[in-house]
Amino acid sequence: MVKARISVIGLGFVGLSIALTNAKKKISTIGVDVEKTKIENLNRGIPNFFEPGLQNYLDESLEGKHIEFTTNLGYALKNSNLSFLCVGTPPIKDGGINLKFLKKALKDIHKNLEIKKTHHLLIIKSTVAPQSTVNLVLPIFKDLINKGKVDVVTNPEFLREGSAINDVLNPHLIVIGEYDKKSGKILESYYRQFYKTLPEIIHTDITSAELIKYANNTFLATKISFINSLANICQNLPGTDVNTIAKAIGKDPRIGPLFLQAGPGFGGSCLPKDISALIDFSNKFKRTNELFKAVLSVNQNQPMKVIELLKEFNVLKKNNTVSILGLAFKKDTDDIRAAVSIEIAKLLLKKDLKIKVYDPMAIDNFKKLFKEKIVYCSSIDECLKESECCLILTEWDSFKKLKPKKFKKLMKKPNVIDARRILDPNKFLDINFKAVGLGN
Ligand code: UGA
């Protein structure tokens, strides 16, 4: 293959991480996005979200001149031979996904590739329902594919927010969905340039690759809802602890230890959206999605289980103050999309409680949603002061070091609920302590 020059279309978590890791490896990279301010900021070295390592990668990529950011799609396509399409496919109300951005991007890409003289490989990274590529993408590019000018492959992404850069650099697997061997081989040879040692690659048909993405996220979600269901049983069984159960069953190699951490429910821009989309998609096949529906329903009820712990402390009274530590949907991100903190804050506001919140990264995003309805604090101490209950909702490392004496000293009443299981219950015996999945 000729030396890869890539463009990345859509600079969210996936797109920007792919763009910067390529630039860092000195692969000529052009990042494209329709948002002008985002592009201006990126060219000035300012990313529009927090992700560990991202700032360094951006600084070094700009310095090394291996990356440029533009809103000009035509320029990007002309000056690259391979494009990763990473535009968002956000959720819609009925559980499906909004293909508006994808459709617009595909039309614009087609228009520009029509006038391009050399071959181009279009790689679909955006998460789309099974058969979307066959029914939507391929018909648009049919003429160019037939002329041998363009090839299209699907190549789902498994990176996680909070470790996005590392996940791009060290994937457990690469899935290439292809309609013929030639198109898949082009992508494979790009990956040979990108990785010193080629990760495992599975070649599939296009639709299977799309389904693999949903299957992966839905299985992870299933593990979480499974352990949260057990956590809810443990809470009623004195002496039990869901962490012990998880540890034991996780030793069985058929089960495995990961994604068995009980908590307030899964959030983020992927798991809830993808399982809803799979339910929506499989609605057309009779009785195929009962399990997925149950997984989602367990997750939707989980914030209420946390509220029930608050009830046990008898703090759900008008004008009482609840301190929430952690707003991001998980640690090491400022992302609050579908974060449980949103649901819980809404439930507490409904009950006329006062809410104080602290998060090392996500305060600004939370402010945009709740404005002056809650109190935003700039430290853990400020957040705990004068409050009747502390609720830990994100597993930030700085919260893991908390000691009982801090709660005793600062709070009006030292009632602590660890919804993330980051504190050792045995060290909190002399204050009022409850935790998800801990029998009492
Ligand atoms: C998820 C998948 O893990 C990635 O493989 C996938 O590429 C990505 O979605 C995507 O589709 O783009 P992400 O949403 O970044 O990644 O976050 P996860 O680490 O999967 O966590 C999702 C939620 O589950 C978080 O709220 C987390 O706190 C929660 N979780 C995770 C648990 O409650 N318990 C666990 O044991 C693990």
Side-chain angles (χ1 to χ4, degrees):
M1 183 196 179
V2 283
K3 201 163 186 301
R5 289 177 305 143
I6 72 153
S7 51
V8 180
I9 302 157
L11 297 172
F13 277 94
V14 172
L16 193 55
S17 307
I18 291 173
L20 293 178
T21 43
N22 274 277
K24 185 83 186 300
K25 285 185 184 256
K26 301 190 168 68
I27 294 172
S28 155
T29 303
I30 306 173
V32 194
D33 202 285
V34 287
E35 276 182 52
K36 208 168 155 233
T37 342
K38 188 194 275 185
I39 292 300
E40 283 167 1
N41 283 337
L42 283 169
N43 276 321
R44 282 165 37 217
I46 309 165
N48 65 322
F49 54 84
F50 170 76
E51 178 68 31
L54 200 79
Q55 185 67 61
N56 276 351
Y57 267 67
L58 179 58
D59 294 345
E60 285 177 29
S61 299
L62 288 170
E63 222 176 274
K65 299 198 171 14
H66 296 295
I67 197 156
E68 51 183 318
F69 297 103
T70 179
T71 52
N72 189 336
L73 180 66
Y75 169 81
L77 293 170
K78 195 172 158 207
N79 291 290
S80 59
N81 45 27
L82 179 154
S83 295
F84 290 95
L85 182 56
C86 305
V87 296
T89 50
I92 48 177
K93 267 221 162 90
D94 65 6
I97 50 173
N98 187 345
L99 293 174
K100 174 170 95 176
F101 307 110
L102 186 83
K103 283 182 182 163
K104 167 90 174 67
L106 289 169
K107 259 173 83 184
D108 292 347
I109 294 169
H110 180 266
K111 206 165 73 192
N112 282 290
L113 290 183
E114 242 180 343
I115 51 173
K116 201 186 158 190
K117 301 252 160 19
T118 48
H119 180 270
H120 205 93
L121 181 70
L122 179 62
I123 304 148
I124 312 292
K125 277 271 174 203
S126 303
T127 301
V128 289
Q131 295 179 315
S132 301
T133 306
V134 168
N135 293 337
L136 171 74
V137 185
L138 296 187
I140 296 177
F141 288 92
K142 198 171 157 205
D143 54 341
L144 302 181
I145 294 170
N146 288 343
K147 282 183 194 158
K149 281 181 74 178
V150 168
D151 276 300
V152 178
V153 287
T154 45
N155 178 214
E157 187 53 58
F158 303 107
L159 65 81
R160 298 158 294 174
E161 289 184 29
S163 54
I165 298 271
N166 186 48
D167 289 351
V168 176
L169 296 175
N170 304 293
H172 63 277
L173 175 72
I174 291 173
V175 174
I176 300 178
E178 60 203 28
Y179 47 69
D180 63 6
K181 286 233 154 40
K182 184 193 100 201
S183 53
K185 284 276 174 226
I186 303 174
L187 183 57
E188 190 172 321
S189 64
Y190 152 77
Y191 279 127
R192 271 181 213 285
Q193 291 179 36
F194 186 85
Y195 294 108
K196 256 194 194 139
T197 317
L198 198 63
E200 183 178 351
I201 296 184
I202 292 186
H203 290 265
T204 71
D205 64 287
I206 286 200
T207 304
S208 296
E210 293 166 330
L211 189 56
I212 285 168
K213 170 72 189 181
Y214 281 104
N216 214 92
N217 274 355
T218 301
F219 191 78
L220 294 173
T222 305
K223 283 188 98 174
I224 301 170
S225 279
F226 171 83
I227 204 68
N228 283 341
S229 300
L230 277 174
N232 298 334
I233 293 176
C234 285
Q235 266 162 238
N236 294 294
L237 293 178
T240 63
D241 182 341
V242 72
N243 282 355
T244 314
I245 316 287
K247 192 175 165 190
I249 62 170
K251 298 277 182 201
D252 184 331
R254 293 167 300 174
I255 297 176
L258 302 178
F259 273 68
L260 287 179
Q261 181 56 62
F266 56 80
S269 64
C270 306
L271 261 48
K273 177 191 89 156
D274 289 355
I275 192 163
S276 299
L278 184 58
I279 291 170
D280 179 66
F281 174 76
S282 50
N283 267 339
K284 54 176 137 165
F285 314 110
K286 250 191 187 164
R287 306 203 59 173
T288 50
N289 56 19
E290 271 111 349
L291 174 67
F292 314 146
K293 282 183 185 165
V295 170
L296 191 61
S297 151
V298 168
N299 198 55
Q300 285 161 345
N301 288 332
Q302 197 61 11
M304 265 322 285
K305 297 286 170 193
V306 176
I307 297 286
E308 279 167 25
L309 289 176
L310 276 156
K311 272 189 197 152
E312 289 175 29
F313 276 145
N314 207 16
V315 288
L316 287 184
K317 289 180 190 151
K318 198 175 171 180
N319 292 330
N320 266 355
T321 302
V322 174
S323 310
I324 298 181
L325 293 182
L327 304 171
F329 83 98
K330 64 176 189 178
K331 73 169 184 172
D332 293 339
T333 175
D334 58 2
D335 198 345
I336 57 161
R337 282 176 290 176
V340 180
S341 56
I342 299 174
E343 194 55 32
I344 290 193
K346 281 184 186 161
L347 289 166
L348 296 178
L349 285 173
K350 249 193 207 156
K351 296 190 183 294
D352 289 325
L353 279 108
K354 287 187 185 148
I355 305 177
K356 291 170 85 179
V357 298
Y358 170 70
D359 187 285
M361 286 292 166
I363 289 271
D364 287 345
N365 286 334
F366 217 65
K367 251 184 208 168
K368 285 179 204 150
L369 274 187
F370 286 92
K371 306 203 166 66
E372 73 295 341
K373 285 189 200 135
I374 56 185
V375 178
Y376 305 94
C377 302
S378 50
S379 68
I380 298 177
D381 286 22
E382 189 190 337
C383 188
L384 293 181
K385 256 181 214 158
E386 296 304 311
S387 122
E388 271 90 5
C389 187
C390 167
L391 188 51
I392 300 173
L393 286 185
T394 312
E395 73 284 19
W396 285 99
D397 288 342
S398 56
F399 301 163
K400 293 178 184 164
K401 298 177 194 130
L402 284 168
K403 303 260 170 356
K405 66 173 186 229
K406 194 185 263 306
F407 297 103
K408 263 203 236 169
K409 192 175 137 204
L410 295 168
M411 295 175 72
K412 207 186 259 176
K413 288 182 194 150
N415 292 316
V416 176
I417 294 171
D418 179 6
R420 283 293 186 169
R421 302 306 310 266
I422 55 171
L423 303 175
D424 179 355
N426 294 318
K427 297 193 173 137
F428 284 78
L429 296 174
D430 59 339
I431 66 169
N432 298 327
F433 182 85
K434 289 186 186 293
V436 163
L438 187 67
N440 56 38

